[in-house]
Amino acid sequence: MRRRTRALGILTTLLLAGGAVSLAAPAGAGTSDTRTTAAVSTASAARTTAECQGDWLPATPTSAEVMSGQVRFLDLPPVKIGKTVDWNWSPYKNRSWDMVFSSLRWVGRLVADYETSGEQGLLTRATELTKSWVESNPRGGSRASRYAWDEHPIALRAPVLVCLSRHVSASWLTGSLADHAVMLANPALYEKGHNHGLDQDIALLRIGCRTGHKEWADLAVRRMTGSVKLDIDAQGALQEQAPRYGIYVHERLKVGMDAIKDCGRKVPAEIEKRWDSLTGYITHATEPSGYMAPIGDGGADVKPSGYEHPEKTVRVFDAGYVFGRTAWDKPESAYYTIRFGPGLKFHGHEDHLGVTYYAQGRDVLVEAGFHSYERTAYRYWTMSPEAHNVPVVVGRPFRGRTATSLVRASVGGDRQSYKLADKAYGVTRTRTVLVNHGDDLMAVLDTVPAGARARSYWHLDPALTPVSTSGGRVVVKDRSGWKATVVQLAMPSCEPVSGQTVVRGRTNPYQGWISPTYMSKVPASVIVSPAAGSLLTIVVPGAGDPEVTCSGARVKVTTSAGTVSFRAASGNLS
C-alpha cells in the first residue's frame, strides 16, 4: 500500500562560490529597468553561486516543465499557467498547492539550472515570473494573493529572490528583498521552535548576507540557535509530533549551516549538536520495511535513506515516543510504537496511548495516517482518537490536548512492557503494553475506574481482511494466506469477550479508512471492541487459531513460534 515519497530526500552540500555582494538601495531607488547577465553559450562558462545551488528546491517541477508553461505540485495533475500568470489562481482549491505556488521555489529552479546550463532563456523567464509576482503582490496591497505574505511562503520565496539577485540588478528586486527582510525580522511573525521558523531564519540570513545588512544576519543566526533547542530536545527528538518532519528539519538545518558558512561565519556548536542528534530519532521512527511510522502528520509513504542507525533497538523519548524492534537491518523484524507525552501541538494527532505493530515483515496495527492539510471532515477524523489504536471512554467528552504520562517502563532484550495513564476523558484511563519478541506477540491491557467503560479501536493494515469474528476473536489474513489473530479477554476473569464489530469504509461518521499517500484514502478494517471496565487485547501475528489459556493471573498463548507466558494483574502486564 506504500510508494516511496518524492517530496523528501537527503540534502547534498551547497556549492560555494563568490563572496558577499551588496545590492543597490532598497525600494524606490533607481529606475525600474532590469539588467541581466549576458547570455552564456556553454555550461562550463556559467557561474554557479552558493545562493542558487544545492538541494534547497525539493519537489519542484523541472525547468523544462516550467518553460513549457506547466507546473506540477504535490503529486496533483500538472496545470498550465500561461505566459501571463494569475497569482490568485487556485486550480485545486488546495491550501498546500496554493502555498507552494506562491512560494516561487519552482521559479528558483530556472535560475539554478541557468547557472549550470548557461541557457539564457531560463534566466529571462525566471525574471519575468518573479517581476510579475512582485508587481502583482505589493506588501500590504489589496491585490496581493491570499498566501503572498503569509509567514511560510515569505520564508520559502526569499531565497529565490536572493538567488535571482546574483544575476539580475533591478530596483523592483532589491525593493522586494527589503520587504521580505522586514517581514522576516518581525518578531510577531516568527515561528519559534518550529520548522517554519527555521525556514524564516535561513531566508533572513541569506538576505542579510547578500545585501550586507549585518543586523539581519546576526538576528537570523541568533534566532536559529535558540529555536533549534526548542524544536529538537536534548535526546534528539523533534517536538513537532510527526516524525517525518524530522527529515525536513534535518535537511533544512543542513541548508542553514551551509548558509552560515557561506556568510563567512562559524556554525554555533549547539546547532551542529542538535542536527546530529536528530538522526537517531529519525531512524528509531523507521520500520524494518524502511518506511517511517506514519505518526501525526506523516504519510505512510515516507522512506528515509542515508541515516545511520544507533545500536539500541529500543528507545524511549521523553517527547512522547516509544520505538522498539527486534533487530536492525532485518525486514522480518518485529517493530512497535507507543505514544504519550505533551498534549497535541503543531503536527500532532490525538493519538496518546496509541500503538502500532509490525511483525513478520508485515504491518499489522497501523494509523489512519496523513491525508492532507485541507479543512475537511476526513482530515479532522484522521486527527481524532477514533482514527488511532486507543481506548475511548464511553459517554464522556474528550478533552483535547491532554498530556499522557509514561508511568512505568521495563525494557528487556526479548520483552518490553510500558504503563501509561491520562485523564483525557475526565477519568483515569490506563493502558499497559507488553511486547514479546522471537515468539512475536503484543498484549495490551486497558482499564478505567469502576463505573466507567471504555472501548478500544484496532486499525488493521489494508492488506489484511477479516475471515472470522466469533468467541472474542477476530482472525485476519492477507492474499498470501498469512494470518493474524486479535483475542480479547475480560479482566480479571480472563473470560473471552464477544461482541466485536469490524468497520470498513464507513463515511457517516468516518471509520475504517487508511491514507497510504497524500490526498488518498482506501478502505481498511478496524476492530471496535465492546465497552468494558478492563479489557485485555492480545495480537498474535502469524497464527490463525492460537490457544489462549489462563491460570489465575498467568496467561499463556500459543504463537506461530512457541508458547508465550505473561502475568496480567492489578492493571499491569509482565
Side-chain angles (χ1 to χ4, degrees):
M1 298 305 301
R2 294 175 168 179
R3 299 198 302 255
R4 182 185 176 110
T5 183
R6 292 183 298 223
L8 297 170
I10 303 304
L11 287 178
T12 56
T13 303
L14 289 173
L15 301 177
L16 308 180
V21 177
S22 295
L23 295 179
T31 69
S32 60
D33 294 336
T34 299
R35 301 190 304 278
T36 63
T37 55
V40 182
S41 58
T42 65
S44 61
R47 179 169 62 88
T48 59
T49 65
E51 291 89 346
C52 294
Q53 298 302 311
D55 283 346
W56 60 281
L57 299 167
T60 55
T62 66
S63 291
E65 289 172 332
V66 178
M67 291 299 286
S68 71
Q70 177 174 282
V71 294
R72 176 187 175 98
F73 308 135
L74 306 171
D75 286 338
L76 292 170
V79 297
K80 289 282 187 178
I81 60 173
K83 180 70 173 178
T84 302
V85 179
D86 176 5
W87 296 104
N88 284 287
W89 190 36
S90 180
Y92 293 108
K93 308 303 180 192
N94 180 294
R95 297 168 63 230
S96 296
W97 193 99
D98 297 347
M99 188 278 288
V100 174
F101 184 53
S102 186
S103 76
L104 297 192
R105 280 213 280 194
W106 52 282
V107 177
R109 174 68 65 192
L110 299 179
V111 189
D113 287 354
Y114 159 73
E115 287 192 343
T116 57
S117 70
E119 295 181 22
Q120 180 66 30
L122 298 178
L123 180 61
T124 299
R125 183 57 175 156
T127 304
E128 292 173 350
L129 288 167
T130 307
K131 186 177 182 182
S132 170
W133 185 92
V134 170
E135 292 176 344
S136 300
N137 295 278
R139 182 163 65 95
S142 60
R143 295 182 292 113
S145 64
R146 178 183 177 188
Y147 291 101
W149 295 101
D150 274 10
E151 46 85 15
H152 205 206
I154 294 172
L156 299 179
R157 188 170 51 247
V160 178
L161 304 183
V162 172
C163 167
L164 184 63
S165 76
R166 277 294 187 178
H167 306 282
V168 173
S169 177
S171 60
W172 61 263
L173 180 54
T174 54
S176 190
L177 277 169
D179 283 342
H180 280 69
V182 168
M183 298 293 282
L184 290 164
N186 185 348
L189 297 178
Y190 184 52
E191 297 289 335
K192 189 175 184 179
H194 189 273
N195 69 82
H196 288 196
L198 175 58
D199 286 332
Q200 290 171 304
D201 296 335
I202 294 170
L204 185 60
L205 176 62
R206 282 294 189 194
I207 295 176
C209 290
R210 178 75 181 114
T211 63
H213 283 76
K214 183 176 180 295
E215 69 278 11
W216 289 340
D218 289 346
L219 175 61
V221 175
R222 186 167 63 250
R223 290 196 313 190
M224 190 186 300
T225 306
S227 186
V228 73
K229 292 166 65 176
L230 295 177
D231 204 20
I232 306 169
D233 69 15
Q235 292 182 306
L238 191 73
Q239 303 300 291
E240 300 188 31
Q241 299 187 346
R244 71 109 165 174
Y245 272 91
I247 300 175
Y248 183 80
V249 171
H250 192 265
E251 293 179 342
R252 295 300 289 164
L253 265 180
K254 181 60 169 63
V255 172
M257 291 189 294
D258 285 341
I260 292 172
K261 294 174 185 176
D262 294 342
C263 202
R265 296 165 177 250
K266 180 177 175 59
V267 177
E270 195 62 39
I271 293 179
E272 290 186 325
K273 177 183 176 181
R274 301 289 169 131
W275 175 77
D276 186 62
S277 69
L278 189 54
T279 60
Y281 171 77
I282 293 170
T283 53
H284 275 293
T286 302
E287 294 182 347
S289 65
Y291 292 93
M292 294 195 87
I295 296 172
D297 289 338
D301 58 349
V302 177
K303 192 172 188 179
S305 62
Y307 295 95
E308 294 184 1
H309 63 69
E311 293 184 5
K312 288 185 177 180
T313 54
V314 178
R315 186 71 188 273
V316 178
F317 288 97
D318 295 339
Y321 304 89
V322 179
F323 300 118
R325 71 187 69 231
T326 308
W328 293 99
D329 302 323
K330 292 183 178 180
E332 70 277 10
S333 297
Y335 175 84
Y336 63 93
T337 72
I338 307 173
R339 280 285 287 126
F340 65 99
L344 180 147
K345 63 178 180 179
F346 297 145
H347 293 289
H349 290 183
E350 294 290 3
D351 56 3
H352 282 189
L353 277 70
V355 302
T356 67
Y357 191 36
Y358 175 100
Q360 301 178 10
R362 297 166 174 85
D363 279 307
V364 182
L365 301 178
V366 299
E367 299 278 10
F370 170 70
H371 177 263
S372 71
Y373 292 115
E374 300 309 296
R375 296 187 177 104
T376 64
Y378 182 77
R379 155 70 171 168
Y380 294 128
W381 172 75
T382 64
M383 298 176 66
S384 72
E386 288 80 4
H388 303 86
N389 302 311
V390 303
V392 171
V393 182
V394 178
R396 290 183 176 267
F398 176 66
R399 301 177 177 182
R401 303 180 186 275
T402 299
T404 300
S405 299
L406 176 62
V407 177
R408 177 181 56 80
S410 175
V411 178
D414 294 326
R415 175 175 291 187
Q416 298 94 48
S417 65
Y418 312 89
K419 187 172 185 177
L420 309 98
D422 66 22
K423 290 189 176 181
Y425 290 87
V427 297
T428 300
R429 58 173 184 166
T430 302
R431 166 165 281 190
T432 304
V433 181
L434 180 145
V435 182
N436 195 83
H437 296 304
D439 298 337
D440 292 328
L441 174 146
M442 172 181 278
V444 180
L445 178 60
D446 294 320
T447 60
V448 291
R453 297 183 307 155
R455 64 166 48 96
S456 53
Y457 293 80
W458 305 98
H459 296 263
L460 302 171
D461 185 77
L464 299 175
T465 303
V467 294
S468 67
T469 303
S470 64
R473 296 180 176 218
V474 178
V475 181
V476 298
K477 71 174 182 179
D478 64 14
R479 289 185 177 181
S480 72
W482 182 89
K483 293 181 178 180
T485 302
V486 177
V487 181
Q488 295 196 306
L489 307 171
M491 299 304 291
S493 68
C494 211
E495 293 293 326
V497 176
S498 58
Q500 292 79 7
T501 59
V502 178
V503 182
R504 186 180 180 90
R506 191 176 69 195
T507 58
N508 188 24
Y510 280 108
Q511 189 54 270
W513 297 91
I514 299 293
S515 287
T517 58
Y518 178 73
M519 292 290 288
S520 72
K521 65 179 185 290
V522 297
S525 298
V526 56
I527 302 170
V528 183
S529 79
S534 182
L535 188 67
L536 175 63
T537 302
I538 305 171
V539 182
V540 190
D545 188 25
E547 182 180 356
V548 180
T549 59
C550 296
S551 178
R554 179 67 59 180
V555 181
K556 289 186 178 181
V557 182
T558 302
T559 71
S560 60
T563 300
V564 175
S565 175
F566 61 89
R567 284 181 55 82
S570 302
N572 295 303
L573 298 176
S574 59

